[in-house]
Amino acid sequence: DGGITQSPKYLFRKEGQNVTLSCEQNLNHDAMYWYRQDPGQGLRLIYYSQIVNDFQKGDIAEGYSVSREKKESFPLTVTSAQKNPTAFYLCASSIRTGLPPYEQYFGPGTRLTVT
Amino acid sequence: AQSVTQPDIHITVSEGASLELRCNYSYGATPYLFWYVQSPGQGLQLLLKYFSGDTLVQGIKGFEAEFKRSQSSFNLRKPSVHWSDAAEYFCAVGARSGGSNYKLTFGKGTLLTVNP
């Protein structure tokens, strides 16, 4: 089945530690996205990548880093510089060619808790 | 820059009643518009999308939405709500962001509670 995999579903870390969230897709999509979701805040864009080896900052990139070495994978690292990292993180992907609109397909999410 | 407003944070309806969730957008050109649904602790599922053509769009699970350019709105409707429709609903607008980059901007969501 085609889809987006995010692992793990729940992640716990101590303050001051970096942590990497996994996102893998087998939809053959060029574009991938990372969002952060907090209660009552909707989804806020952290980083996005339209092609391999290229990515752009979203609206709340500070304290996060990404890489895009393979089309299928777009890992997100939450660094110790992120002041409030506890949140629900969602990965998404979409096509980026042909006629719009380009709907995004979402993974099941990773809930990160930092204490 | 584009933006989306969902005026209702929480709506409660009775099972079998009709539903309308409001969405207003701000964007200078013709928008790409989407409605997504999220069950607790899950990812988002696309309900429907609009770019051009017929302003009344049909989606999955019996939902529909109407695009009204004059009101900058894209309201989601369902004639008869089922208990399984209880979830959070997000409206989003898609737009180009510098060159060939493309991204969605989401509203803050409307939480739907369905009473038996």
Side-chain angles (χ1 to χ4, degrees), chain B residues 5-20:
Chain B
T5 301
Q6 294 181 245
D8 304 303
I9 296 173
H10 188 193
I11 285 183
T12 300
V13 300
S14 297
E15 190 168 16
S18 63
L19 172 70
E20 182 168 26

Side-chain angles (χ1 to χ4, degrees), chain A residues 33 48 50 101-102, chain B residues 32 34 94-97 100-104:
Chain A
Y33 308 81
Y48 60 110
Q50 302 286 296
Y102 310 128
Chain B
Y32 310 133
F34 306 83
R96 296 286 182 193
S97 174
S100 62
N101 293 329
Y102 175 87
K103 63 178 185 177
L104 297 185

Side-chain angles (χ1 to χ4, degrees), chain A residues 99-103 105, chain B residues 32-35 46-52 54 57-59 65 74:
Chain A
L99 292 176
Y102 310 128
E103 66 263 34
Y105 295 80
Chain B
Y32 310 133
L33 294 163
F34 306 83
W35 274 101
L46 179 70
L47 286 175
L48 45 78
K49 62 186 178 184
Y50 171 80
F51 173 52
S52 64
D54 192 346
V57 181
Q58 301 298 319
F74 188 55

Side-chain angles (χ1 to χ4, degrees), chain A residues 84-96:
Chain A
N84 186 17
T86 294
F88 190 53
Y89 291 87
L90 287 159
C91 178
S93 70
S94 74
I95 61 171
R96 62 179 293 269

Side-chain angles (χ1 to χ4, degrees), chain A residues 14-19 36 47 60-65 77-86 89 112 114:
Chain A
K14 294 291 187 184
E15 196 173 320
Q17 294 179 336
N18 292 354
V19 58
R36 171 183 172 136
Y47 269 98
I60 56 165
E62 185 174 351
Y64 299 97
S65 66
T77 297
V78 184
T79 75
S80 56
Q82 168 49 232
K83 291 181 171 42
N84 186 17
T86 294
Y89 291 87
L112 173 65
V114 177

Side-chain angles (χ1 to χ4, degrees), chain B residues 6-104:
Chain B
Q6 294 181 245
D8 304 303
I9 296 173
H10 188 193
I11 285 183
T12 300
V13 300
S14 297
E15 190 168 16
S18 63
L19 172 70
E20 182 168 26
L21 302 182
R22 297 183 291 164
C23 173
N24 294 99
Y25 68 90
S26 173
Y27 184 57
T30 300
Y32 310 133
L33 294 163
F34 306 83
W35 274 101
Y36 284 86
V37 62
Q38 183 183 34
S39 297
Q42 302 297 316
L44 276 68
Q45 180 183 23
L46 179 70
L47 286 175
L48 45 78
K49 62 186 178 184
Y50 171 80
F51 173 52
S52 64
D54 192 346
T55 56
L56 186 63
V57 181
Q58 301 298 319
I60 63 171
K61 305 186 180 189
F63 285 92
E64 65 179 26
E66 186 172 14
F67 172 63
K68 293 185 177 180
R69 184 185 301 275
S70 62
Q71 298 177 19
S72 296
S73 70
F74 188 55
N75 293 350
L76 182 71
R77 302 196 294 244
K78 187 169 185 178
S80 178
V81 170
H82 188 262
W83 65 266
S84 60
D85 293 323
E88 192 158 20
Y89 292 80
F90 293 93
C91 181
V93 59
R96 296 286 182 193
S97 174
S100 62
N101 293 329
Y102 175 87
K103 63 178 185 177
L104 297 185

Side-chain angles (χ1 to χ4, degrees), chain A residues 20-96:
Chain A
T20 298
L21 281 60
S22 167
C23 177
E24 303 278 333
Q25 55 99 358
N26 60 6
L27 299 168
N28 199 32
H29 287 169
D30 286 309
M32 297 187 74
Y33 308 81
W34 273 107
Y35 294 92
R36 171 183 172 136
Q37 186 177 22
D38 298 282
Q41 295 297 313
L43 277 71
R44 293 182 289 170
L45 184 63
I46 304 172
Y47 269 98
Y48 60 110
S49 168
Q50 302 286 296
I51 56 173
V52 173
N53 292 323
D54 187 44
F55 48 83
Q56 289 77 40
K57 293 181 179 179
D59 302 316
I60 56 165
E62 185 174 351
Y64 299 97
S65 66
V66 294
S67 63
R68 187 83 187 278
E69 298 176 0
K70 298 187 300 181
K71 186 175 184 178
E72 303 79 18
S73 179
F74 191 40
L76 173 74
T77 297
V78 184
T79 75
S80 56
Q82 168 49 232
K83 291 181 171 42
N84 186 17
T86 294
F88 190 53
Y89 291 87
L90 287 159
C91 178
S93 70
S94 74
I95 61 171
R96 62 179 293 269

